[in-house]
Amino acid sequence: MSTATALLSSEELSAVLPYALGHLYSNGGIFLSSSRAPNDGVIHAPFSLLPWHFPQGLLNQGLSLAIPFNNLVDSVSRDSAWLLGALERTAGADSFTGRLVDMYRLELAREAEAVKAGGGPVQNPLRLGIHRSDYMLTSNSEDSKGDFFLKQVELNTVASSMAGLSSIVSQLHANLPLRFASELPNVFKYFSQDGTSFSGARPSTANRDLAFALKEAHFAYLKGYSGGAPPPGILVAVCMVVQPGERNSFDQRALESELWDRYGVVLRYATLAELGRVAPHPPAPSHGILHNHASAPPLFLPPRGPGGPCTEVSVVYYRAGYTPGDYPSELEWTGRDFVEASRAIKCPCLAYHLAGTKKVQQLLANPGVLERFVKEKESVASLRGCFAGLWSLDVREGGDVSGAIEAARKNPSHYVIKPQREGGGNNLFNDSVAGALRIEGGMPPDQLAGYILMERLFPPLKPCVFVRNGAVKQSMGSCELGVYGVFLGDGVAPPLLNLPAGTLLRTKLEGSDEGGVAAGFAVIDSVWAV
Ligand code: ADP
Ligand code: MG
């Protein structure tokens, strides 16, 4: 471990820290203290007191990749034969992926039957993507002194969170140099290359942009009504599917506020279990107005109180449902199925969810696969340029032709093994890589087929000021850049929306393998462009 020089003295800390905590508490940069007792109070989100000096050129590159990645997910999601083939073995090895694939097959069968019967599409053809592509900086020189490159860690197509908190922390960082310019010259110097001016602030637009995307999808759904508005007595709202006891609920509230304050769109929350309980008796009033774009039934939520209206759901935005723990019983699966069988726009739909699996990420890196989905040569080149080394661990899929598995046995600390999981804390590093790949006593081949092998990235380290639970730790850290992308399209007409949608920077302590904020490994940071 390297020793960090402290960026801030104790006097500087005692000025800046209370200001920063005040900003976070008063703007909603907070978590619930406990998932079990929601009235237990709140605690500030773990954050970095000073932003990360991030190269503007690489930031631009990350932003410019959002559109081709949005297009790629959409293309993959509309090639059901490829997607099912890609995930066949993984589905056999991993029961959670298997269950999602089964549900997807069922949906395809329903669709095919309806088309055969002349009933047109069952599903709403519109797909809303709220993705986040995560990158690390890497250098081709051992000492990290050469040029840096962006390499993709993963692409999230489901529950890409932290837009609200990222917007709040990056605004804090934008405020700091102005607020302390005259009082704390050393702090100001951190922000100013020439000691007098500064221009690096890049407040994240993610919360605003994600709300915009949800609003666009909501109004696109309403266009399915003749006259573009529901009949009187029907409230149409966006539904966010949440985990019970979610601690990161203020990140979600930030989106709710933006949707209501700016666009007058109502957001309702529901857990998968609540949806499962509604499912057998959908309280669907027959309002007699035909949607023109899908024959699947509308999704209704019960009134919130006596005499209130039923709520028809325009967009289902999943912030839950991506991990097996979200389905403790069949009730939650019933809830998911209820949503999937409805005409609501899903974010993500099952095909988008599956297109974001690590197995698909690995297959897209195989020679010739990107070309199947991306027609423009420049896009193929820029997408491929950010791919790290990725290999199958399914030895039946052609054995270890590349020799990567053997190389990983010899040098496990240069590789990561990843299961088909989201949310952090699931990957294997170092000794666990060696253990899993051991020829005798390692993971059985049937199980390994559910994982992928990835080149380990070694991002540069810098001195940082970590703040967690009010306590400061000045130490070396590395960062991971997330770039959100939003997409709305029906696969036929040009997309209604296809844009980069702000950034998230997370910083973790040197020596920490994993990087999630909610999972407790990293803090929220922001980009200070240099
Ligand atoms: P999850 O879906 O659980 O977020 P990720 O692929 O993002 O899975 O991995 C979780 C964390 O593990 C990342 O945030 C990063 O800190 C670390 N990590 C993942 N892949 C690599 C890699 N190839 N090299 C170095 N660290 C990695
Ligand atoms: Mg991740």
Side-chain angles (χ1 to χ4, degrees):
M1 286 239 178
S2 33
T3 41
T5 34
L7 289 171
L8 298 178
S9 69
S10 56
E11 292 89 344
E12 286 162 341
L13 270 179
S14 62
V16 180
L17 182 62
Y19 172 81
L21 290 174
H23 178 92
L24 262 62
Y25 279 110
S26 54
N27 288 284
I30 49 183
F31 276 101
L32 285 177
S33 301
S34 149
S35 58
R36 270 173 223 96
N39 296 327
D40 222 21
V42 296
I43 182 84
H44 71 85
F47 70 108
S48 169
L49 195 50
L50 297 174
W52 187 281
H53 290 159
F54 198 91
Q56 178 72 59
L58 294 176
L59 172 64
N60 293 348
Q61 186 194 343
L63 291 168
S64 73
L65 284 166
I67 291 175
F69 270 121
N70 288 344
N71 285 328
L72 177 61
V73 170
D74 196 63
S75 302
V76 169
S77 82
R78 292 184 195 272
D79 192 339
S80 53
W82 184 87
L83 194 53
L84 286 172
L87 290 171
E88 196 182 331
R89 309 272 256 234
T90 314
D94 178 73
S95 60
F96 179 63
T97 309
R99 184 91 192 233
L100 293 173
V101 167
D102 286 347
M103 215 177 224
Y104 178 49
R105 278 187 207 281
L106 190 72
E107 178 185 306
L108 291 169
R110 274 199 290 249
E111 197 76 19
E113 224 167 81
V115 170
K116 210 161 86 191
V122 172
Q123 275 297 322
N124 198 318
L126 284 174
R127 295 181 176 179
L128 174 65
I130 296 184
H131 312 312
R132 198 188 66 229
S133 183
D134 291 337
Y135 305 93
M136 280 179 171
L137 297 180
T138 55
S139 149
N140 49 10
S141 72
E142 280 283 304
D143 58 3
S144 288
K145 292 235 165 66
D147 287 338
F148 286 108
F149 305 93
L150 274 194
K151 289 286 172 196
Q152 186 180 50
V153 175
E154 65 155 344
L155 179 66
N156 301 284
T157 59
V158 57
S160 308
S161 62
M162 300 291 169
L165 296 181
S166 164
S167 302
I168 293 164
V169 171
S170 59
Q171 189 56 54
L172 163 70
H173 290 158
N175 294 355
L176 285 180
L178 276 173
R179 171 63 188 79
F180 291 104
S182 51
E183 289 180 272
L184 299 172
N186 281 336
V187 172
F188 185 72
K189 259 190 227 148
Y190 185 84
F191 294 91
S192 172
Q193 280 163 319
D194 62 7
T196 54
S197 61
F198 63 90
S199 59
R202 298 290 180 272
S204 178
T205 55
N207 194 57
R208 197 190 72 194
D209 295 348
L210 266 52
F212 177 77
L214 287 165
K215 176 276 281 191
E216 286 289 295
H218 173 81
F219 285 108
Y221 180 91
L222 288 183
K223 285 210 178 114
Y225 283 110
S226 52
I234 300 276
L235 173 71
V236 184
V238 172
C239 174
M240 191 188 291
V241 182
V242 292
Q243 295 175 329
E246 169 69 82
R247 286 190 61 222
N248 190 20
S249 56
F250 291 92
D251 186 52
Q252 304 172 338
R253 293 277 173 198
L255 267 180
E256 177 187 3
S257 299
E258 187 75 11
L259 269 175
W260 175 251
D261 297 352
R262 208 181 274 266
Y263 307 114
V265 175
V266 172
L267 183 125
R268 281 191 61 176
Y269 298 92
T271 63
L272 284 169
E274 282 161 356
L275 289 164
R277 279 190 283 271
V278 178
H281 312 286
S286 54
H287 50 61
I289 304 285
L290 282 180
H291 267 267
N292 60 16
H293 57 203
S295 57
L299 178 63
F300 278 100
L301 298 176
R304 300 210 70 178
C310 276
T311 306
E312 180 175 344
V313 177
S314 53
V315 182
V316 179
Y317 172 48
Y318 286 104
R319 290 290 290 263
Y322 53 83
T323 172
D326 287 344
Y327 303 86
S329 72
E330 279 304 305
L331 183 64
E332 288 79 11
W333 285 110
T334 305
R336 175 92 189 230
D337 200 35
F338 177 49
V339 169
E340 298 303 328
S342 80
R343 73 165 61 135
I345 298 173
K346 292 101 195 158
C347 179
C349 61
L350 276 168
Y352 271 30
H353 187 165
L354 293 171
T357 51
K358 290 172 172 90
K359 184 65 194 174
V360 168
Q361 180 190 5
Q362 178 254 309
L363 288 172
L364 288 170
N366 280 346
V369 180
L370 265 186
E371 285 79 355
R372 180 186 176 107
F373 300 108
V374 184
K375 296 294 160 253
E376 310 77 34
K377 282 210 170 65
E378 303 90 80
S379 297
V380 170
S382 47
L383 291 168
R384 180 157 296 129
C386 77
F387 288 174
L390 288 151
W391 303 276
S392 171
L393 281 175
D394 184 355
V395 281
R396 295 160 305 180
E397 218 174 53
D400 185 20
V401 269
S402 64
I405 299 178
E406 195 43 42
R409 277 192 193 107
K410 292 202 178 105
N411 202 356
S413 61
H414 280 64
Y415 294 83
V416 184
I417 292 183
K418 298 188 173 187
Q420 312 304 311
R421 289 289 175 275
E422 303 294 332
N426 301 300
N427 297 333
L428 310 186
F429 295 89
N430 304 317
D431 290 349
S432 307
V433 170
L437 298 184
R438 209 168 286 138
I439 292 170
E440 277 183 27
M443 212 186 271
D446 286 351
Q447 206 182 329
L448 263 186
Y451 292 70
I452 64 155
L453 181 66
M454 185 173 184
E455 163 197 3
R456 176 144 191 188
L457 306 168
F458 294 97
L461 296 164
K462 288 216 297 218
C464 304
V465 188
F466 295 88
V467 189
R468 191 178 275 283
N469 296 334
V472 172
K473 186 176 171 77
Q474 304 209 50
S475 186
M476 299 297 274
S478 66
C479 78
E480 184 170 339
L481 173 74
V483 178
Y484 297 89
V486 291
F487 182 98
L488 180 66
D490 67 2
V492 181
L496 297 170
L497 192 67
N498 187 4
L499 293 169
T503 55
L504 165 71
L505 202 85
R506 289 170 297 177
T507 297
K508 62 178 183 182
L509 275 176
E510 177 183 19
S512 162
D513 293 326
E514 284 275 346
V517 174
F521 302 103
V523 299
I524 298 172
D525 201 339
S526 85
V527 168
W528 189 268
V530 290

